[in-house]
Amino acid sequence: MARPGRLGVGIVGAGKVGAVLGAALRGAEHAVVGVSAVSEASRERAETLLPGVPILEIQEIVERSELVLLAVPDDALGDLVTGLAKLGAWQPGQLVAHTSGRFGVGILKPVRAAGAIPLALHPAMTFTGMSLDLTRLLDCTFGVTADAAMLPIAQALVVEMGAEPVAIAEADRTLYHAALAHSSNHMVTLVAQSSQLLRDIGVDAPERMLGPLLRATLENALASGESALTGPMARGDVGTVAAHAEALKEYDGGASGDVLTAYRAMARATARRAVNRGLLKEGQLGEIINALDGSGTPDNGEDRPGNDAAGTQEGN
């Protein structure tokens, strides 16, 4: 016998997120009644993760479903919801959840006007669109936004997918999403830039060099916060920072190169936060900013006190 409270679920968008969450809901014994898939990649993903589920037009999916999961790009969500409302597709009592990180339930106003129940369920995870994502869901949190009376329903759906729900206020959704994008998306760029530098100086397998360093850094940062900061910023090594900036400027072929631009921006932010943490003094911050801007002079540190071999090794 089916578990009580099982829903007929329609998946709008068989991208990496939609197909995986559809499979997770199916694993919780909900019935996936249809999925939309336009591209060849989406169709293949739907066939792999949702075998036997019919590929249908969006309006038909909405008409068949007790829970509609909208897994579409942020910029497409508003027009989709409004367009379906004009067609009279939304049904009273129907659950309508989107997976956008940026939006809460406000963007689902046409859904609410039709008597349906709006939910925002955003997985704080990067997806591959493959079955291994189902395992990753077990260590994942969702940013959940819903009306107070409906929040338990949203939380229950997340728990059924094996993840942990975290309530996010409607007004905080953009900052919530910015925090996730800043950490995850920009980390990919930083790793790509560092790998490029290493590869260009002859390191054949930059991932082997960076992997242990990045994993340890991430674990330390998550466990200890900014107390985990090491390297030139933590030591106030102005000469090293100036040398980095000069070398990257030459590598990039000028001051507007993307590697130098990213290094300068992150170095400035790191230095300012190091001052706030008491790791650097205000005077050192000014010296570092000057070094990043090219008005500092690289040096080898030989004349600075306390920069002996032991000091150099400590905290690098």
Side-chain angles (χ1 to χ4, degrees):
M1 295 180 62
R3 290 165 55 189
R6 298 306 87 189
L7 300 169
V9 180
I11 309 296
V12 177
K16 295 177 181 179
V17 176
V20 170
L21 297 190
L25 289 168
R26 197 182 201 187
E29 298 183 21
H30 294 287
V32 180
V33 299
V35 59
S36 69
V38 178
S39 70
E40 187 61 33
S42 294
R43 288 178 172 272
E44 290 179 3
R45 198 175 293 116
E47 291 171 2
T48 300
L49 290 171
L50 299 167
V53 174
I55 295 176
L56 304 173
E57 296 296 323
I58 293 175
Q59 188 172 355
E60 187 176 1
I61 290 172
V62 174
E63 290 171 353
R64 291 187 179 196
S65 303
E66 297 164 291
L67 166 63
V68 181
L69 188 67
L70 303 174
V72 298
D74 291 358
D75 288 349
L77 181 58
D79 289 342
L80 174 63
V81 171
T82 301
L84 287 167
K86 290 178 179 178
L87 293 172
W90 303 120
Q91 305 165 43
Q94 186 178 49
L95 297 171
V96 181
H98 72 71
T99 62
S100 167
R102 172 186 169 191
F103 297 110
V105 294
I107 197 162
L108 298 179
K109 185 177 180 181
V111 167
R112 189 193 301 276
I117 300 168
L119 309 172
L121 310 176
H122 175 255
M125 188 179 81
T126 182
F127 284 75
T128 65
M130 296 185 288
S131 58
L132 65 88
D133 290 338
L134 294 170
T135 302
R136 289 178 174 172
L137 282 179
L138 303 180
D139 192 36
C140 173
T141 61
F142 276 59
V144 175
T145 304
D147 296 347
M150 299 301 151
L151 188 58
I153 296 174
Q155 293 169 324
L157 288 169
V158 171
V159 170
E160 286 187 329
M161 287 187 278
E164 176 185 355
V166 175
I168 305 295
E170 178 80 14
D172 294 334
R173 289 293 295 202
T174 302
L175 279 179
Y176 154 78
H177 193 229
L180 300 183
H182 186 39
S183 61
S184 177
N185 301 162
H186 296 168
M187 183 171 68
V188 173
T189 300
L190 288 170
V191 172
Q193 289 178 336
S194 297
S195 298
Q196 174 187 321
L197 289 171
L198 291 172
R199 195 175 292 110
D200 286 349
I201 63 169
V203 177
D204 291 332
E207 67 280 1
R208 286 282 299 117
M209 183 172 287
L210 292 172
L213 171 65
L214 292 173
R215 282 188 286 270
T217 300
L218 178 58
E219 290 173 3
N220 291 343
L222 291 174
S224 304
E226 288 173 306
S227 298
L229 181 64
T230 64
M233 292 304 172
R235 296 192 299 268
D237 284 345
V238 177
T240 298
V241 173
H244 287 176
E246 187 63 29
L248 291 173
K249 182 177 180 179
E250 182 178 352
Y251 174 84
D252 267 342
S256 61
D258 73 289
V259 181
L260 176 61
T261 299
Y263 180 88
R264 281 175 167 169
M266 289 305 300
R268 288 189 183 101
T270 302
R272 290 190 178 98
R273 296 180 75 91
V275 170
N276 293 338
R277 293 282 299 178
L279 297 174
L280 292 178
K281 297 178 180 178
E282 284 287 350
Q284 290 174 302
L285 173 61
E287 292 176 355
I288 287 172
I289 297 300
N290 288 338
L292 290 168
D293 292 339
S295 54
T297 303
D299 64 75
N300 59 15
E302 291 176 357
D303 297 329
R304 279 183 285 138
N307 207 15
D308 55 16
T312 301
Q313 291 298 318
E314 185 173 290
N316 66 355

